[in-house]
Amino acid sequence: MEQRSPWRVVGVTPESKAAFEAVDEIVWFDEPDPTDEDPSGGLDPGRSFAASRTGDPPFAGISSWFDQRLTVPGPGGPRQVRSAGLTWVGVHPDERRRGVLTALLEHHLADVHAQGVPLGALHASETSIYGRFGYAQASFGVHVEVGGGAEVTAPEGLEDADVRTELASSDANDLAARVLAVQHAAAAAHVGHVTLTERHVGRILRRHPAAERDSEPRRVLFAVRGGVDVGYALVRRRHRWADSLPQGSLTCDALVTVHPAARFALLRRLVAFDLIGRVSLPADSVEDEVVWWLGGPRAVKARVHDALWLRIVDLPAALSLRGYAADVDVVLDVSDERCPWNAGRWRLRATAGSASCERTEDPADVALPVQALAGAYLGGRSLAEMARQGVVTGTADAVERLARAFVTTSPPAAALEF
């Protein structure tokens, strides 16, 4: 007989909001910000949940999610689909290894499915956790580090483009709206991008005294073309002198651009600030212009990391929404312990980029866990390589045809953190 979970997952109310925030504080143990009267103010109250044995505070665990748009490969070009961005997940230290996280994530997946959201996404604090719940690494980023004043070279024409850079005031009233407009413009053209809500962007941009110790407030450097914002970099400088020489550091936490000319203009400005000895930059992949305009992998200090983790919540909807690089007709036998509505055999047919996915009793051509489809969904990982790793099984011909259909022309962008 299946044992029922002892945990009740309930929506957070105005009355229980303080108890929700108390769990977050003890889980993440950041320095409290005495000026922040609303620590969870960037979250959607209707999508924030907590677990306890009674449903009342004190809580054993918490979670929340954003109703976002994720850019995926589409027929004829990128398209944006709904995605549940899981965030603020935490279990009280006294309640670890008692099924709290399982109760929260099972509730989350059922809730998202009931609302018709086909995909789930997150940024993993610990990579050993989320694979157990059907998530897979779907895109990757690169931390790039160079010395201040590094040479930036790019193809002829980009340097002459009519793009100027502008360091915005951190207290400008329209800052969040400007940042969000660039996010939407970039997401429309680049697979892997996630667009945040204006409320969440506002939280990111507000001042955080603890994080600013020995550094300036976070600033936004915009790229502007013809009076329109076409890119931005989120930056912070830290002042330092050593051996009577300026050795400050500049950290760029986000670099979002609509086109290469904007990326070039921002990059050239980021490595040219005065008094800076070290510059840290984000790149979307080893293919990113940031890596190659700075001289390639040997010229920069680079570290690859996982970016977006993806979860297919509604398999037929998700596979039908995606575009495909090649025609394919295969029967998939999908295993999915956490979302049993996805498990079983499905016929995936794609013609001229568009696809359908329907239940079938026909024999399977390929067998794979739902994590494999999630990893390949944005084009960041290869199903053929997963077959060589033993994750995907089936006839060589069927696996090859399926893998070719999932190919994308460029690696997905490393999604913004949320």
Side-chain angles (χ1 to χ4, degrees):
M1 182 175 178
E2 185 177 353
Q3 186 175 1
R4 287 176 57 100
S5 170
W7 304 105
R8 285 188 59 195
V9 178
V10 296
V12 175
T13 65
E15 293 73 25
S16 63
K17 190 167 177 283
F20 174 91
E21 292 168 351
V23 176
D24 178 73
E25 182 176 330
I26 199 168
V27 167
W28 294 103
F29 52 87
D30 287 330
E31 180 179 338
D33 181 356
T35 67
D36 192 354
E37 298 177 355
D38 190 9
S40 59
L43 302 178
D44 183 342
R47 296 188 174 90
S48 296
F49 298 92
S52 72
R53 287 181 171 82
T54 63
D56 297 318
F59 295 130
I62 58 173
S63 68
S64 188
W65 62 280
F66 297 113
D67 192 354
Q68 299 171 329
R69 296 297 182 271
L70 170 65
T71 307
V72 309
R79 76 188 317 174
Q80 292 180 294
V81 302
R82 287 182 75 191
S83 170
L86 184 63
T87 187
W88 275 56
V89 180
V91 175
H92 193 287
D94 291 344
E95 303 290 3
R96 291 182 68 247
R97 301 189 184 282
R98 297 179 181 176
V100 179
L101 181 63
T102 296
L104 285 165
L105 289 189
E106 288 183 347
H107 176 275
H108 170 70
L109 294 172
D111 179 37
V112 169
H113 184 251
Q115 295 193 40
V117 182
L119 298 169
L122 58 83
H123 291 277
S125 55
E126 296 188 46
T127 58
S128 61
I129 296 174
Y130 293 99
R132 304 199 309 265
F133 297 94
Y135 290 86
Q137 298 178 41
S139 68
F140 301 85
V142 181
H143 288 298
V144 174
E145 188 173 306
V146 294
E151 184 180 2
V152 183
T153 59
E156 186 176 352
L158 283 178
E159 188 172 0
D160 299 327
D162 183 24
V163 179
R164 63 180 180 85
T165 57
E166 168 193 305
L167 198 58
S169 169
S170 58
D171 58 358
N173 293 329
D174 61 346
L175 206 56
R178 291 180 67 183
V179 165
L180 196 61
V182 174
Q183 287 183 13
H184 280 284
H190 298 97
V191 168
H193 267 290
V194 165
T195 52
L196 308 181
T197 65
E198 186 166 359
R199 190 176 182 192
H200 186 47
V201 169
R203 288 286 303 178
I204 292 172
L205 296 177
R206 70 182 294 275
R207 297 193 61 173
H208 298 273
E212 293 169 12
R213 190 171 293 115
D214 298 325
S215 75
E216 68 174 341
R218 183 179 277 171
R219 299 183 185 276
V220 184
L221 178 67
F222 284 101
V224 184
R225 183 187 232 175
V228 177
D229 295 324
V230 290
Y232 74 87
L234 208 56
V235 301
R236 180 182 292 127
R237 292 171 296 174
R238 190 176 297 274
H239 201 80
R240 180 174 177 268
W241 285 76
D243 298 326
S244 300
L245 295 172
Q247 294 294 322
S249 61
L250 181 147
T251 300
C252 176
D253 293 321
L255 181 60
V256 180
T257 54
V258 178
H259 51 65
R263 207 164 186 80
F264 177 72
L266 287 171
L267 180 60
R268 186 172 57 176
R269 178 80 185 276
L270 288 168
V271 300
F273 275 88
D274 291 336
L275 308 179
I276 297 298
R278 179 176 58 84
V279 180
S280 299
L281 302 158
D284 285 334
S285 71
V286 293
E287 302 277 6
D288 195 313
E289 302 99 314
V290 169
V291 175
W292 294 98
W293 289 345
L294 289 168
R298 287 199 179 191
V300 302
K301 181 180 178 182
R303 178 175 62 84
V304 177
H305 61 92
D306 57 297
L308 196 70
W309 286 60
L310 200 63
R311 213 300 177 191
I312 294 179
V313 179
D314 186 330
L315 188 139
L319 294 188
S320 299
L321 285 167
R322 192 193 192 277
Y324 295 85
D327 292 354
V328 69
D329 185 348
V330 293
V331 175
L332 308 176
D333 188 359
V334 179
S335 56
D336 190 343
E337 178 184 354
R338 303 290 181 176
C339 296
W341 53 84
N342 286 335
R345 278 173 281 172
W346 301 88
R347 180 174 290 278
L348 174 65
R349 290 189 180 96
T351 305
S354 297
S356 64
C357 184
E358 299 174 342
R359 283 279 185 194
T360 182
E361 297 298 323
D362 292 344
D365 302 304
V366 178
L368 71 177
V370 73
Q371 291 93 327
L373 288 171
Y377 192 83
L378 298 178
R381 298 176 64 190
S382 164
L383 287 167
E385 289 299 323
M386 292 187 218
R388 280 186 273 273
Q389 296 160 14
V391 177
V392 175
T393 60
T395 66
D397 175 66
V399 170
E400 186 68 24
R401 286 186 286 115
L402 184 65
R404 283 200 306 269
F406 273 78
V407 165
T408 56
T409 55
S410 300
L416 294 168
E417 292 193 9
F418 49 82

